[in-house]
């Protein structure tokens, strides 16, 4: 079952990434030839780090090259970090939400093996709920994308 159980968030992110142009929806994705491997790691709007880590490892083993993690945890676990390290060791790029705390970046986006992405308005103003600390991964800077 690949149904999107939490308000369509995963489906919307997949559309931003890979929606084909001229599809009648008014939206074109960043890469029209991207292939999406849907992996559900949550119940109805709840998620555990164990299920997230297991899904991440499964995706890496299925050949994923880029993994989007639009979720957040306030505290880290070694189990999830080991899965992130497994992805990095297999040359898989992990992009993670910066979080909705309004201040510091949350996990997994806080780990240096990921790229954290925050939210901004169409006018380029950072949204007050988005994790915005300048701490980030490989580049030591935050990335932001439209979030409202």
């Amino acid at each position: 079952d690949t149904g999107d159980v939490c308000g369509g968030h995963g489906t919307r992110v997949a559309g931003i990434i890979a929606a084909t142009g001229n599809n009648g929806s008014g939206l074109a994705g960043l890469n029209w030839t991207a292939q999406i491997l849907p992996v559900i790691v949550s119940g109805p709007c709840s998620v555990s780090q164990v299920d997230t880590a297991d899904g991440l490892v499964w995706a890496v083993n299925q050949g994923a090259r880029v993994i989007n993690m639009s979720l957040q945890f306030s505290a880290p676990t070694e189990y999830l970090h080991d899965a992130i390290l497994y992805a990095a060791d297999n040359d898989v790029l992990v992009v993670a939400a910066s979080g909705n705390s309004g201040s510091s970046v949350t996990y997994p986006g806080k780990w240096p093996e990921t790229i954290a992405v925050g939210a901004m308005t169409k006018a380029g103003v950072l949204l007050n709920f988005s994790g915005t600390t300048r701490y980030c991964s490989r580049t030591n800077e935050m990335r932001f994308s439209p979030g409202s």
Side-chain angles (χ1 to χ4, degrees):
D1 176 20
T2 57
D4 196 342
V5 297
C6 192
H9 182 80
T11 300
R12 286 192 302 275
V13 171
I16 291 168
I17 294 168
T20 58
N22 298 320
N23 61 20
S25 72
L27 171 78
L30 297 171
N31 182 346
W32 297 1
T33 61
Q35 295 179 333
I36 301 295
L37 174 65
V39 180
I40 295 178
V41 297
S42 66
C45 298
S46 66
V47 63
S48 78
Q49 291 194 47
V50 170
D51 291 342
T52 300
D54 291 348
L56 181 86
V57 169
W58 182 85
V60 170
N61 291 340
Q62 299 307 305
R65 304 305 308 147
V66 178
I67 295 176
N68 171 67
M69 299 182 75
S70 296
L71 46 78
Q72 67 180 11
F73 300 103
S74 58
T77 63
E78 187 174 336
Y79 192 76
L80 179 56
H81 193 213
D82 285 347
I84 297 284
L85 292 170
Y86 178 74
D89 288 346
N90 283 278
D91 296 321
V92 175
L93 176 65
V94 178
V95 180
S98 66
N100 295 331
S101 69
S103 57
S104 65
V105 176
T106 57
Y107 294 94
K110 195 169 188 173
W111 282 313
E113 300 82 19
T114 67
I115 294 177
V117 177
M120 64 183 182
T121 67
K122 292 177 185 176
V125 176
L126 300 181
L127 291 171
N128 63 354
F129 63 81
S130 184
T132 58
T133 300
R134 295 296 295 176
Y135 172 84
C136 189
S137 48
R138 298 175 182 170
T139 61
N140 282 335
E141 55 184 85
M142 290 291 304
R143 302 289 184 225
F144 293 90
S145 64
S148 72

